[in-house]
Short mmCIF file of all heavy atoms in Angstrom, two decimals:
data_model
loop_
_atom_site.label_atom_id
_atom_site.label_comp_id
_atom_site.label_asym_id
_atom_site.label_seq_id
_atom_site.Cartn_x
_atom_site.Cartn_y
_atom_site.Cartn_z
N MET A 18 21.93 -0.32 -23.20
CA MET A 18 20.82 -1.05 -23.81
C MET A 18 19.87 -1.51 -22.70
O MET A 18 20.26 -2.14 -21.79
CB MET A 18 21.33 -2.18 -24.64
CG MET A 18 20.26 -2.94 -25.32
SD MET A 18 21.01 -4.23 -26.32
CE MET A 18 19.61 -5.20 -26.62
N ASN A 19 18.61 -1.15 -22.81
CA ASN A 19 17.57 -1.56 -21.82
C ASN A 19 17.08 -2.93 -22.15
O ASN A 19 16.82 -3.23 -23.33
CB ASN A 19 16.37 -0.61 -21.84
CG ASN A 19 16.78 0.71 -21.22
OD1 ASN A 19 17.71 0.87 -20.46
ND2 ASN A 19 15.98 1.75 -21.61
N LEU A 20 17.06 -3.81 -21.17
CA LEU A 20 16.56 -5.18 -21.37
C LEU A 20 15.05 -5.17 -21.37
O LEU A 20 14.44 -6.07 -21.97
CB LEU A 20 17.12 -6.10 -20.34
CG LEU A 20 18.60 -6.30 -20.34
CD1 LEU A 20 19.00 -7.22 -19.13
CD2 LEU A 20 19.06 -6.98 -21.65
N PHE A 21 14.41 -4.26 -20.66
CA PHE A 21 12.96 -4.17 -20.58
C PHE A 21 12.50 -2.82 -21.10
O PHE A 21 13.20 -1.81 -20.88
CB PHE A 21 12.52 -4.33 -19.15
CG PHE A 21 12.84 -5.66 -18.48
CD1 PHE A 21 13.84 -5.73 -17.54
CD2 PHE A 21 12.08 -6.77 -18.79
CE1 PHE A 21 14.18 -6.93 -16.97
CE2 PHE A 21 12.35 -7.96 -18.20
CZ PHE A 21 13.40 -8.07 -17.28
N SER A 22 11.34 -2.79 -21.69
CA SER A 22 10.76 -1.53 -21.99
C SER A 22 10.20 -0.90 -20.69
O SER A 22 10.15 -1.56 -19.67
CB SER A 22 9.55 -1.68 -22.96
OG SER A 22 8.46 -2.33 -22.31
N LYS A 23 9.90 0.35 -20.74
CA LYS A 23 9.39 1.04 -19.55
C LYS A 23 8.16 0.33 -19.03
O LYS A 23 7.95 0.14 -17.84
CB LYS A 23 9.09 2.48 -19.89
CG LYS A 23 8.61 3.29 -18.73
CD LYS A 23 8.39 4.78 -19.13
CE LYS A 23 7.78 5.51 -17.92
NZ LYS A 23 7.56 6.92 -18.26
N GLU A 24 7.23 -0.04 -19.99
CA GLU A 24 6.01 -0.73 -19.57
C GLU A 24 6.29 -2.06 -18.93
O GLU A 24 5.66 -2.40 -17.92
CB GLU A 24 5.07 -0.90 -20.84
CG GLU A 24 3.73 -1.45 -20.37
CD GLU A 24 2.76 -1.50 -21.60
OE1 GLU A 24 2.92 -0.68 -22.49
OE2 GLU A 24 1.85 -2.26 -21.55
N GLU A 25 7.26 -2.81 -19.52
CA GLU A 25 7.59 -4.09 -18.90
C GLU A 25 8.20 -3.92 -17.52
O GLU A 25 7.91 -4.69 -16.58
CB GLU A 25 8.52 -4.90 -19.78
CG GLU A 25 7.94 -5.39 -21.12
CD GLU A 25 8.95 -5.94 -22.07
OE1 GLU A 25 10.10 -5.41 -22.10
OE2 GLU A 25 8.60 -6.84 -22.77
N ALA A 26 9.10 -2.96 -17.34
CA ALA A 26 9.65 -2.65 -16.09
C ALA A 26 8.61 -2.29 -15.02
O ALA A 26 8.70 -2.81 -13.88
CB ALA A 26 10.69 -1.56 -16.22
N LEU A 27 7.61 -1.48 -15.43
CA LEU A 27 6.60 -1.06 -14.50
C LEU A 27 5.72 -2.33 -14.15
O LEU A 27 5.31 -2.47 -12.97
CB LEU A 27 5.72 0.04 -15.10
CG LEU A 27 6.37 1.39 -15.14
CD1 LEU A 27 5.46 2.38 -15.91
CD2 LEU A 27 6.66 1.94 -13.73
N ASP A 28 5.43 -3.17 -15.12
CA ASP A 28 4.64 -4.35 -14.82
C ASP A 28 5.38 -5.34 -13.87
O ASP A 28 4.79 -5.90 -12.96
CB ASP A 28 4.30 -5.14 -16.13
CG ASP A 28 3.28 -4.45 -16.98
OD1 ASP A 28 2.55 -3.55 -16.48
OD2 ASP A 28 3.16 -4.79 -18.19
N HIS A 29 6.67 -5.36 -14.05
CA HIS A 29 7.52 -6.21 -13.22
C HIS A 29 7.48 -5.64 -11.79
O HIS A 29 7.33 -6.36 -10.76
CB HIS A 29 8.91 -6.35 -13.68
CG HIS A 29 9.77 -7.18 -12.95
ND1 HIS A 29 9.69 -8.55 -12.91
CD2 HIS A 29 10.86 -6.92 -12.14
CE1 HIS A 29 10.63 -9.06 -12.14
NE2 HIS A 29 11.33 -7.98 -11.60
N GLU A 30 7.67 -4.29 -11.73
CA GLU A 30 7.61 -3.65 -10.38
C GLU A 30 6.27 -3.83 -9.70
O GLU A 30 6.20 -4.09 -8.49
CB GLU A 30 7.95 -2.18 -10.54
CG GLU A 30 7.94 -1.39 -9.21
CD GLU A 30 8.21 0.08 -9.37
OE1 GLU A 30 8.32 0.56 -10.50
OE2 GLU A 30 8.18 0.81 -8.36
N LEU A 31 5.22 -3.73 -10.51
CA LEU A 31 3.85 -3.85 -9.95
C LEU A 31 3.67 -5.22 -9.38
O LEU A 31 3.12 -5.44 -8.31
CB LEU A 31 2.82 -3.56 -11.05
CG LEU A 31 1.38 -3.63 -10.71
CD1 LEU A 31 0.99 -2.64 -9.64
CD2 LEU A 31 0.44 -3.47 -11.93
N GLY A 32 4.08 -6.27 -10.12
CA GLY A 32 3.94 -7.66 -9.63
C GLY A 32 4.73 -7.90 -8.31
O GLY A 32 4.21 -8.49 -7.38
N ASN A 33 5.98 -7.29 -8.28
CA ASN A 33 6.73 -7.44 -7.02
C ASN A 33 6.08 -6.73 -5.86
O ASN A 33 6.06 -7.23 -4.70
CB ASN A 33 8.12 -6.89 -7.27
CG ASN A 33 9.04 -7.85 -8.08
OD1 ASN A 33 8.73 -9.01 -8.24
ND2 ASN A 33 10.06 -7.32 -8.70
N LEU A 34 5.58 -5.52 -6.11
CA LEU A 34 4.88 -4.84 -5.04
C LEU A 34 3.70 -5.53 -4.49
O LEU A 34 3.47 -5.63 -3.28
CB LEU A 34 4.50 -3.40 -5.56
CG LEU A 34 5.58 -2.33 -5.76
CD1 LEU A 34 5.07 -1.18 -6.56
CD2 LEU A 34 6.16 -1.92 -4.39
N ILE A 35 2.90 -6.05 -5.41
CA ILE A 35 1.71 -6.82 -5.00
C ILE A 35 2.03 -7.97 -4.18
O ILE A 35 1.44 -8.29 -3.11
CB ILE A 35 0.84 -7.12 -6.21
CG1 ILE A 35 0.19 -5.93 -6.78
CG2 ILE A 35 -0.21 -8.18 -5.88
CD1 ILE A 35 -0.51 -6.08 -8.13
N ASP A 36 3.13 -8.74 -4.55
CA ASP A 36 3.57 -9.88 -3.79
C ASP A 36 3.99 -9.42 -2.35
O ASP A 36 3.67 -10.08 -1.37
CB ASP A 36 4.75 -10.52 -4.49
CG ASP A 36 4.34 -11.33 -5.70
OD1 ASP A 36 3.19 -11.57 -5.94
OD2 ASP A 36 5.27 -11.69 -6.50
N ASP A 37 4.82 -8.33 -2.32
CA ASP A 37 5.23 -7.86 -1.03
C ASP A 37 4.12 -7.43 -0.11
O ASP A 37 4.05 -7.73 1.06
CB ASP A 37 6.21 -6.69 -1.21
CG ASP A 37 7.61 -7.07 -1.70
OD1 ASP A 37 7.86 -8.27 -1.68
OD2 ASP A 37 8.33 -6.16 -2.14
N ILE A 38 3.17 -6.73 -0.72
CA ILE A 38 1.94 -6.20 0.02
C ILE A 38 1.18 -7.47 0.58
O ILE A 38 0.79 -7.44 1.78
CB ILE A 38 1.01 -5.36 -0.84
CG1 ILE A 38 1.79 -4.03 -1.17
CG2 ILE A 38 -0.27 -5.11 -0.23
CD1 ILE A 38 1.16 -3.22 -2.30
N GLN A 39 0.95 -8.46 -0.26
CA GLN A 39 0.21 -9.63 0.26
C GLN A 39 0.95 -10.29 1.44
O GLN A 39 0.33 -10.66 2.38
CB GLN A 39 0.02 -10.60 -0.90
CG GLN A 39 -0.94 -10.16 -1.93
CD GLN A 39 -1.07 -11.09 -3.11
OE1 GLN A 39 -0.08 -11.73 -3.54
NE2 GLN A 39 -2.27 -11.16 -3.74
N LEU A 40 2.27 -10.47 1.27
CA LEU A 40 3.08 -11.03 2.40
C LEU A 40 3.02 -10.16 3.66
O LEU A 40 2.84 -10.69 4.80
CB LEU A 40 4.50 -11.19 1.96
CG LEU A 40 4.76 -12.35 0.98
CD1 LEU A 40 6.24 -12.28 0.42
CD2 LEU A 40 4.46 -13.66 1.47
N ASN A 41 3.17 -8.85 3.52
CA ASN A 41 3.06 -7.99 4.65
C ASN A 41 1.74 -8.01 5.36
O ASN A 41 1.69 -8.10 6.58
CB ASN A 41 3.40 -6.52 4.19
CG ASN A 41 4.88 -6.37 3.81
OD1 ASN A 41 5.69 -7.24 3.98
ND2 ASN A 41 5.16 -5.23 3.19
N VAL A 42 0.67 -7.92 4.61
CA VAL A 42 -0.70 -7.96 5.24
C VAL A 42 -0.93 -9.32 5.91
O VAL A 42 -1.46 -9.29 7.03
CB VAL A 42 -1.73 -7.66 4.12
CG1 VAL A 42 -3.11 -7.93 4.66
CG2 VAL A 42 -1.65 -6.31 3.64
N HIS A 43 -0.50 -10.37 5.32
CA HIS A 43 -0.63 -11.64 5.89
C HIS A 43 0.19 -11.74 7.24
O HIS A 43 -0.34 -12.21 8.30
CB HIS A 43 -0.13 -12.80 4.97
CG HIS A 43 -0.24 -14.13 5.55
ND1 HIS A 43 -1.48 -14.82 5.71
CD2 HIS A 43 0.65 -15.02 6.06
CE1 HIS A 43 -1.30 -15.99 6.24
NE2 HIS A 43 0.00 -16.15 6.46
N ALA A 44 1.42 -11.21 7.24
CA ALA A 44 2.19 -11.21 8.42
C ALA A 44 1.59 -10.35 9.52
O ALA A 44 1.53 -10.80 10.72
CB ALA A 44 3.64 -10.69 8.12
N ILE A 45 1.07 -9.25 9.19
CA ILE A 45 0.38 -8.40 10.16
C ILE A 45 -0.85 -9.07 10.72
O ILE A 45 -1.07 -9.16 11.92
CB ILE A 45 0.03 -7.00 9.60
CG1 ILE A 45 1.30 -6.23 9.29
CG2 ILE A 45 -0.88 -6.27 10.49
CD1 ILE A 45 1.09 -5.02 8.43
N ALA A 46 -1.65 -9.67 9.83
CA ALA A 46 -2.92 -10.27 10.28
C ALA A 46 -2.66 -11.48 11.18
O ALA A 46 -3.39 -11.74 12.11
CB ALA A 46 -3.69 -10.72 9.03
N GLU A 47 -1.62 -12.23 10.87
CA GLU A 47 -1.31 -13.46 11.63
C GLU A 47 -0.42 -13.10 12.87
O GLU A 47 -0.18 -14.04 13.71
CB GLU A 47 -0.55 -14.45 10.76
CG GLU A 47 -1.39 -14.94 9.58
CD GLU A 47 -2.56 -15.77 10.07
OE1 GLU A 47 -2.41 -16.59 11.03
OE2 GLU A 47 -3.63 -15.62 9.50
N GLY A 48 0.02 -11.87 12.97
CA GLY A 48 0.86 -11.50 14.14
C GLY A 48 2.21 -12.16 14.04
O GLY A 48 2.86 -12.46 15.08
N SER A 49 2.64 -12.41 12.84
CA SER A 49 3.99 -13.13 12.65
C SER A 49 5.17 -12.12 13.02
O SER A 49 5.03 -10.94 13.04
CB SER A 49 4.15 -13.46 11.19
OG SER A 49 3.12 -14.34 10.78
N THR A 50 6.29 -12.80 13.37
CA THR A 50 7.51 -12.04 13.58
C THR A 50 8.23 -11.93 12.28
O THR A 50 8.47 -12.95 11.57
CB THR A 50 8.41 -12.78 14.60
OG1 THR A 50 7.68 -12.91 15.83
CG2 THR A 50 9.71 -12.02 14.87
N VAL A 51 8.58 -10.69 11.91
CA VAL A 51 9.24 -10.49 10.65
C VAL A 51 10.66 -9.95 10.89
O VAL A 51 10.82 -9.08 11.70
CB VAL A 51 8.46 -9.44 9.71
CG1 VAL A 51 9.20 -9.18 8.43
CG2 VAL A 51 7.08 -10.01 9.45
N THR A 52 11.62 -10.56 10.18
CA THR A 52 12.99 -10.01 10.27
C THR A 52 13.57 -9.85 8.88
O THR A 52 13.15 -10.51 7.95
CB THR A 52 13.92 -11.05 11.02
OG1 THR A 52 13.85 -12.25 10.36
CG2 THR A 52 13.49 -11.21 12.47
N VAL A 53 14.36 -8.82 8.77
CA VAL A 53 15.07 -8.57 7.48
C VAL A 53 16.52 -8.47 7.83
O VAL A 53 16.95 -7.59 8.64
CB VAL A 53 14.57 -7.27 6.85
CG1 VAL A 53 15.34 -6.91 5.60
CG2 VAL A 53 13.13 -7.38 6.48
N ASP A 54 17.34 -9.35 7.23
CA ASP A 54 18.72 -9.43 7.53
C ASP A 54 19.01 -9.52 8.98
O ASP A 54 19.94 -8.92 9.57
CB ASP A 54 19.47 -8.19 6.87
CG ASP A 54 19.43 -8.14 5.40
OD1 ASP A 54 19.34 -9.27 4.76
OD2 ASP A 54 19.36 -7.05 4.82
N GLY A 55 18.17 -10.26 9.70
CA GLY A 55 18.32 -10.54 11.09
C GLY A 55 17.82 -9.42 11.99
O GLY A 55 17.87 -9.57 13.23
N LYS A 56 17.27 -8.31 11.43
CA LYS A 56 16.73 -7.20 12.24
C LYS A 56 15.22 -7.35 12.35
O LYS A 56 14.53 -7.50 11.27
CB LYS A 56 17.09 -5.88 11.57
CG LYS A 56 16.53 -4.70 12.36
CD LYS A 56 16.87 -3.39 11.60
CE LYS A 56 16.11 -2.24 12.27
NZ LYS A 56 15.43 -1.38 11.43
N TYR A 57 14.64 -7.28 13.53
CA TYR A 57 13.22 -7.31 13.77
C TYR A 57 12.49 -6.18 13.17
O TYR A 57 12.95 -5.01 13.32
CB TYR A 57 13.00 -7.41 15.28
CG TYR A 57 11.47 -7.31 15.59
CD1 TYR A 57 10.63 -8.37 15.42
CD2 TYR A 57 10.97 -6.16 16.18
CE1 TYR A 57 9.27 -8.25 15.73
CE2 TYR A 57 9.65 -6.04 16.52
CZ TYR A 57 8.82 -7.02 16.30
OH TYR A 57 7.45 -6.95 16.56
N ILE A 58 11.43 -6.42 12.47
CA ILE A 58 10.64 -5.38 11.90
C ILE A 58 9.27 -5.41 12.61
O ILE A 58 8.52 -6.43 12.56
CB ILE A 58 10.40 -5.55 10.37
CG1 ILE A 58 11.69 -5.73 9.65
CG2 ILE A 58 9.58 -4.46 9.82
CD1 ILE A 58 12.65 -4.57 9.75
N SER A 59 8.91 -4.32 13.25
CA SER A 59 7.63 -4.31 14.04
C SER A 59 6.44 -4.25 13.03
O SER A 59 6.63 -3.83 11.88
CB SER A 59 7.62 -3.09 14.94
OG SER A 59 7.55 -1.85 14.16
N ASN A 60 5.29 -4.57 13.51
CA ASN A 60 4.10 -4.54 12.72
C ASN A 60 3.76 -3.10 12.22
O ASN A 60 3.30 -2.92 11.14
CB ASN A 60 2.91 -5.11 13.44
CG ASN A 60 2.91 -6.63 13.37
OD1 ASN A 60 3.62 -7.24 12.59
ND2 ASN A 60 2.09 -7.25 14.27
N SER A 61 4.06 -2.14 13.07
CA SER A 61 3.81 -0.74 12.68
C SER A 61 4.72 -0.30 11.57
O SER A 61 4.34 0.38 10.62
CB SER A 61 3.96 0.21 13.89
OG SER A 61 5.29 0.14 14.42
N GLU A 62 6.02 -0.75 11.58
CA GLU A 62 6.90 -0.47 10.49
C GLU A 62 6.49 -1.19 9.25
O GLU A 62 6.51 -0.66 8.12
CB GLU A 62 8.35 -0.97 10.82
CG GLU A 62 9.03 -0.06 11.84
CD GLU A 62 10.44 -0.55 12.15
OE1 GLU A 62 11.33 -0.40 11.26
OE2 GLU A 62 10.64 -1.20 13.22
N LEU A 63 6.04 -2.41 9.40
CA LEU A 63 5.49 -3.22 8.27
C LEU A 63 4.29 -2.53 7.63
O LEU A 63 4.15 -2.47 6.46
CB LEU A 63 5.15 -4.57 8.72
CG LEU A 63 5.18 -5.71 7.78
CD1 LEU A 63 6.52 -5.83 7.02
CD2 LEU A 63 4.96 -7.07 8.42
N ALA A 64 3.46 -1.98 8.47
CA ALA A 64 2.24 -1.28 7.97
C ALA A 64 2.61 -0.01 7.18
O ALA A 64 2.04 0.29 6.18
CB ALA A 64 1.31 -0.96 9.15
N VAL A 65 3.59 0.72 7.71
CA VAL A 65 4.05 1.92 7.03
C VAL A 65 4.68 1.53 5.63
O VAL A 65 4.43 2.16 4.58
CB VAL A 65 5.03 2.76 7.84
CG1 VAL A 65 5.73 3.85 7.02
CG2 VAL A 65 4.35 3.31 9.06
N THR A 66 5.51 0.52 5.62
CA THR A 66 6.12 0.03 4.36
C THR A 66 5.03 -0.33 3.44
O THR A 66 5.07 -0.01 2.23
CB THR A 66 7.04 -1.10 4.66
OG1 THR A 66 8.09 -0.66 5.52
CG2 THR A 66 7.64 -1.68 3.42
N THR A 67 4.03 -1.06 3.85
CA THR A 67 2.87 -1.52 3.06
C THR A 67 2.12 -0.36 2.44
O THR A 67 1.79 -0.37 1.27
CB THR A 67 2.00 -2.52 3.86
OG1 THR A 67 2.83 -3.57 4.30
CG2 THR A 67 0.84 -2.99 2.87
N ALA A 68 1.89 0.68 3.24
CA ALA A 68 1.19 1.88 2.82
C ALA A 68 2.02 2.58 1.72
O ALA A 68 1.40 3.06 0.69
CB ALA A 68 0.97 2.83 3.96
N LYS A 69 3.28 2.62 1.88
CA LYS A 69 4.16 3.21 0.80
C LYS A 69 4.11 2.44 -0.44
O LYS A 69 4.10 2.96 -1.55
CB LYS A 69 5.58 3.40 1.33
CG LYS A 69 5.74 4.47 2.42
CD LYS A 69 7.12 4.55 2.95
CE LYS A 69 7.29 5.57 4.05
NZ LYS A 69 8.65 5.52 4.66
N GLU A 70 4.14 1.12 -0.27
CA GLU A 70 4.05 0.23 -1.46
C GLU A 70 2.71 0.45 -2.22
O GLU A 70 2.69 0.37 -3.38
CB GLU A 70 4.25 -1.21 -1.02
CG GLU A 70 5.71 -1.54 -0.63
CD GLU A 70 5.93 -2.88 -0.10
OE1 GLU A 70 5.03 -3.51 0.47
OE2 GLU A 70 7.11 -3.33 -0.13
N LEU A 71 1.64 0.54 -1.45
CA LEU A 71 0.26 0.77 -2.04
C LEU A 71 0.24 2.07 -2.75
O LEU A 71 -0.37 2.21 -3.83
CB LEU A 71 -0.79 0.68 -0.93
CG LEU A 71 -1.16 -0.69 -0.52
CD1 LEU A 71 -2.00 -0.62 0.73
CD2 LEU A 71 -1.93 -1.38 -1.63
N LEU A 72 0.88 3.11 -2.25
CA LEU A 72 1.00 4.33 -2.97
C LEU A 72 1.70 4.19 -4.27
O LEU A 72 1.28 4.77 -5.31
CB LEU A 72 1.69 5.44 -2.06
CG LEU A 72 1.88 6.83 -2.68
CD1 LEU A 72 0.55 7.43 -3.06
CD2 LEU A 72 2.67 7.71 -1.75
N ARG A 73 2.80 3.48 -4.27
CA ARG A 73 3.54 3.22 -5.57
C ARG A 73 2.67 2.43 -6.52
O ARG A 73 2.67 2.68 -7.70
CB ARG A 73 4.79 2.52 -5.29
CG ARG A 73 5.64 2.20 -6.53
CD ARG A 73 6.05 3.52 -7.23
NE ARG A 73 6.74 3.20 -8.45
CZ ARG A 73 6.74 3.87 -9.59
NH1 ARG A 73 6.12 5.03 -9.61
NH2 ARG A 73 7.39 3.45 -10.64
N VAL A 74 1.87 1.42 -6.03
CA VAL A 74 0.94 0.72 -6.88
C VAL A 74 -0.01 1.62 -7.48
O VAL A 74 -0.30 1.61 -8.77
CB VAL A 74 0.22 -0.40 -6.07
CG1 VAL A 74 -0.96 -0.89 -6.85
CG2 VAL A 74 1.17 -1.51 -5.73
N SER A 75 -0.58 2.58 -6.74
CA SER A 75 -1.51 3.50 -7.35
C SER A 75 -0.89 4.42 -8.39
O SER A 75 -1.49 4.75 -9.40
CB SER A 75 -2.16 4.39 -6.20
OG SER A 75 -1.27 5.29 -5.70
N GLU A 76 0.37 4.76 -8.22
CA GLU A 76 1.06 5.57 -9.16
C GLU A 76 1.29 4.82 -10.52
O GLU A 76 1.09 5.36 -11.59
CB GLU A 76 2.46 6.02 -8.67
CG GLU A 76 2.37 7.02 -7.52
CD GLU A 76 3.72 7.23 -6.83
OE1 GLU A 76 4.67 6.45 -7.06
OE2 GLU A 76 3.85 8.17 -6.11
N ILE A 77 1.62 3.53 -10.39
CA ILE A 77 1.87 2.68 -11.58
C ILE A 77 0.52 2.52 -12.28
O ILE A 77 0.44 2.59 -13.52
CB ILE A 77 2.47 1.38 -11.17
CG1 ILE A 77 3.93 1.60 -10.67
CG2 ILE A 77 2.46 0.41 -12.37
CD1 ILE A 77 4.55 0.31 -10.09
N LEU A 78 -0.60 2.23 -11.53
CA LEU A 78 -1.85 2.05 -12.16
C LEU A 78 -2.32 3.34 -12.92
O LEU A 78 -2.90 3.26 -13.94
CB LEU A 78 -2.91 1.62 -11.10
CG LEU A 78 -2.70 0.28 -10.50
CD1 LEU A 78 -3.69 0.03 -9.40
CD2 LEU A 78 -2.78 -0.87 -11.59
N LYS A 79 -2.03 4.49 -12.27
CA LYS A 79 -2.42 5.75 -12.91
C LYS A 79 -1.60 5.92 -14.21
O LYS A 79 -2.22 6.38 -15.22
CB LYS A 79 -2.12 6.94 -12.00
CG LYS A 79 -2.60 8.25 -12.49
CD LYS A 79 -4.14 8.28 -12.66
CE LYS A 79 -4.60 9.60 -13.06
NZ LYS A 79 -6.03 9.56 -13.31
N LEU A 80 -0.36 5.57 -14.21
CA LEU A 80 0.41 5.63 -15.44
C LEU A 80 -0.18 4.78 -16.56
O LEU A 80 -0.24 5.17 -17.73
CB LEU A 80 1.89 5.24 -15.20
CG LEU A 80 2.74 6.18 -14.43
CD1 LEU A 80 4.07 5.58 -14.04
CD2 LEU A 80 2.98 7.43 -15.21
N HIS A 81 -0.61 3.57 -16.19
CA HIS A 81 -1.20 2.64 -17.15
C HIS A 81 -2.52 3.24 -17.70
O HIS A 81 -2.86 3.18 -18.86
CB HIS A 81 -1.49 1.30 -16.53
CG HIS A 81 -0.31 0.43 -16.45
ND1 HIS A 81 0.39 0.02 -17.57
CD2 HIS A 81 0.30 -0.24 -15.40
CE1 HIS A 81 1.42 -0.81 -17.25
NE2 HIS A 81 1.38 -0.88 -15.91
N GLU A 82 -3.30 3.85 -16.78
CA GLU A 82 -4.55 4.42 -17.19
C GLU A 82 -4.30 5.62 -18.18
O GLU A 82 -5.04 5.75 -19.18
CB GLU A 82 -5.38 4.99 -16.00
CG GLU A 82 -5.92 3.90 -15.15
CD GLU A 82 -6.49 4.39 -13.83
OE1 GLU A 82 -6.50 5.65 -13.64
OE2 GLU A 82 -6.93 3.54 -13.02
N ASN A 83 -3.29 6.39 -17.87
CA ASN A 83 -2.98 7.51 -18.74
C ASN A 83 -2.56 7.08 -20.11
O ASN A 83 -2.89 7.66 -21.17
CB ASN A 83 -1.90 8.44 -18.12
CG ASN A 83 -2.43 9.20 -16.94
OD1 ASN A 83 -3.67 9.34 -16.77
ND2 ASN A 83 -1.55 9.69 -16.14
N GLU A 84 -1.78 5.93 -20.16
CA GLU A 84 -1.35 5.37 -21.46
C GLU A 84 -2.56 4.86 -22.21
O GLU A 84 -2.63 5.02 -23.45
CB GLU A 84 -0.33 4.28 -21.22
CG GLU A 84 1.03 4.75 -20.76
CD GLU A 84 2.01 3.66 -20.44
OE1 GLU A 84 1.69 2.47 -20.62
OE2 GLU A 84 3.12 3.91 -19.97
N ASP A 85 -3.48 4.21 -21.53
CA ASP A 85 -4.63 3.74 -22.17
C ASP A 85 -5.48 4.83 -22.77
O ASP A 85 -6.06 4.78 -23.88
CB ASP A 85 -5.51 2.92 -21.25
CG ASP A 85 -4.91 1.55 -20.85
OD1 ASP A 85 -3.96 1.17 -21.59
OD2 ASP A 85 -5.29 0.94 -19.84
N ASP A 86 -5.62 5.97 -21.99
CA ASP A 86 -6.39 7.10 -22.47
C ASP A 86 -5.72 7.72 -23.72
O ASP A 86 -6.37 8.20 -24.66
CB ASP A 86 -6.51 8.14 -21.41
CG ASP A 86 -7.42 7.75 -20.24
OD1 ASP A 86 -8.19 6.79 -20.50
OD2 ASP A 86 -7.44 8.32 -19.14
N ALA A 87 -4.39 7.77 -23.75
CA ALA A 87 -3.65 8.36 -24.84
C ALA A 87 -3.79 7.46 -26.08
O ALA A 87 -3.76 7.98 -27.20
CB ALA A 87 -2.12 8.48 -24.48
N ASP A 88 -3.97 6.15 -25.90
CA ASP A 88 -4.16 5.26 -27.05
C ASP A 88 -5.56 5.41 -27.63
O ASP A 88 -5.70 4.99 -28.79
CB ASP A 88 -3.94 3.81 -26.60
CG ASP A 88 -2.46 3.49 -26.27
OD1 ASP A 88 -1.65 4.33 -26.71
OD2 ASP A 88 -2.21 2.55 -25.58
N ASP A 89 -6.53 5.89 -26.93
CA ASP A 89 -7.92 5.99 -27.43
C ASP A 89 -8.08 7.11 -28.44
O ASP A 89 -7.43 8.00 -28.70
CB ASP A 89 -8.87 6.23 -26.29
CG ASP A 89 -8.98 4.97 -25.38
OD1 ASP A 89 -8.60 3.93 -25.90
OD2 ASP A 89 -9.42 5.14 -24.24
#
């Protein structure tokens, strides 16, 4: 049994991605030191991760647009 509909799951994922992207961009802009489970993450790695997250955001937004077009 699914607790969330597909749309709700995508909305939740989108919100999480946007939060992560904002934190990553802020960390890069401020030159902060980022660690995950005690491992140092370089700004270049953080930028690559952010780019991948932005790609996923674009995929989710495209799915929403396609659903809206189908409803018209």
Side-chain angles (χ1 to χ4, degrees):
M18 180 178 166
N19 289 337
L20 296 176
F21 297 105
S22 71
K23 182 178 177 181
E24 187 174 335
E25 289 172 327
L27 287 173
D28 287 344
H29 183 73
E30 181 182 1
L31 182 62
N33 286 339
L34 285 166
I35 290 171
D36 289 344
D37 287 347
I38 291 165
Q39 288 175 328
L40 288 172
N41 291 348
V42 169
H43 180 74
I45 292 168
E47 296 295 318
S49 301
T50 300
V51 177
T52 58
V53 175
D54 296 327
K56 180 183 173 227
Y57 171 74
I58 307 298
S59 67
N60 279 345
S61 61
E62 287 179 76
L63 206 53
V65 169
T66 298
T67 303
K69 290 177 182 177
E70 290 172 334
L71 280 167
L72 178 60
R73 181 62 183 149
V74 166
S75 71
E76 292 169 346
I77 293 170
L78 292 175
K79 186 65 176 174
L80 287 171
H81 281 301
E82 289 171 4
N83 289 342
E84 288 175 5
D85 289 344
D86 289 345
D88 291 341
D89 291 340

